[in-house]
Amino acid sequence: MSLTGGNTTFFDFTKQIDSPALNEKLYGVKTDYHSQVHCFSTINTDNTIPDGCFRVIVVNQKKSWEKAVRIYEKFDSDQFHDVKCGDASGKVCKKNPTLKFDAKVVKFVPGSSVRLGMWKPATFGIWEEMYSVYLKKEDWAAHHNRRNVYFFFDNDGDNYFKIDANRLDYVEMI
């Protein structure tokens, strides 16, 4: 992932990250672009995801405030779907009950990039966007089609998901 100015980020598929916990290599991001979110896209395809789609998976500690990924299926659209979890929503992870997750399969709209906005509650519980990730239309078929895109949200300052063993595979969650 590379910073392109402001709070906009794009996946950079030239770098692979070893992830023994997820049993595969991942297309990854720099670990210093944001202190609370770790974002990965799997290299191996998932046969449970239909062709032309990908799965967004949000993972958070059960004790944490809500966190969400807002999916805009068209780059310039105001229509969206939220995938969120935390102390008030989400499903408890089967392998680690201290974690919660939510997931949604998303269909790519031909000819359009997808924007994924990272959201968290701020002062007085009002939701604010932390930043956005764009899945570029030029890359989706080769790098996102039938793949899982993970978003692991740390609590402020705890770095829980920087530890590879704490990042579960989707199969270990359900």
Side-chain angles (χ1 to χ4, degrees), residues 23-24 31 39-40 43 45 48 55 62 71 73 89 93 103 105 107 111 114-115 117 119 131 138 145 154-155 171 174:
N23 298 315
E24 65 178 308
T31 57
C39 180
F40 305 98
I43 292 174
T45 57
T48 66
R55 181 183 291 124
K62 191 163 84 170
I71 304 164
E73 293 179 27
S89 68
C93 291
V105 172
K107 182 165 181 57
V114 175
R115 180 165 75 96
W119 289 75
Y131 66 93
E138 299 84 13
N145 190 37
D154 279 335
N155 283 334
V171 173
I174 57 174

Side-chain angles (χ1 to χ4, degrees), residues 78-92:
D78 60 355
Q79 297 177 342
F80 60 86
H81 307 280
D82 280 338
V83 182
K84 68 179 181 177
C85 62
D87 58 352
S89 68
K91 301 168 204 81
V92 175

Side-chain angles (χ1 to χ4, degrees), residues 60-143:
N60 197 0
Q61 295 178 61
K62 191 163 84 170
K63 65 182 180 182
S64 301
W65 287 10
E66 298 289 295
K67 304 289 190 312
V69 173
R70 185 163 283 177
I71 304 164
Y72 300 88
E73 293 179 27
K74 288 185 175 181
F75 176 77
D76 57 355
S77 174
D78 60 355
Q79 297 177 342
F80 60 86
H81 307 280
D82 280 338
V83 182
K84 68 179 181 177
C85 62
D87 58 352
S89 68
K91 301 168 204 81
V92 175
C93 291
K94 183 171 71 173
K95 184 175 180 180
N96 183 346
T98 67
L99 302 178
K100 287 179 120 178
F101 75 100
D102 193 14
K104 178 168 181 51
V105 172
V106 180
K107 182 165 181 57
F108 277 100
V109 175
S112 182
S113 297
V114 175
R115 180 165 75 96
L116 304 173
M118 296 340 106
W119 289 75
K120 70 176 187 173
T123 308
F124 305 115
I126 298 170
W127 285 81
E128 69 177 2
E129 187 173 59
M130 298 158 54
Y131 66 93
S132 290
V133 170
Y134 290 85
L135 306 184
K136 298 187 289 185
K137 62 185 174 191
E138 299 84 13
D139 294 336
W140 83 262
H143 298 293

Side-chain angles (χ1 to χ4, degrees), residues 7-18:
N7 290 326
T8 304
T9 54
F10 289 86
F11 275 94
D12 175 5
F13 295 103
T14 61
K15 182 178 179 186
Q16 291 186 6
I17 297 173
D18 287 318

Side-chain angles (χ1 to χ4, degrees), residues 141-155:
H143 298 293
H144 302 295
N145 190 37
R146 299 181 70 199
R147 289 177 171 83
N148 291 313
V149 178
Y150 292 90
F151 294 89
F152 296 96
F153 284 89
D154 279 335
N155 283 334

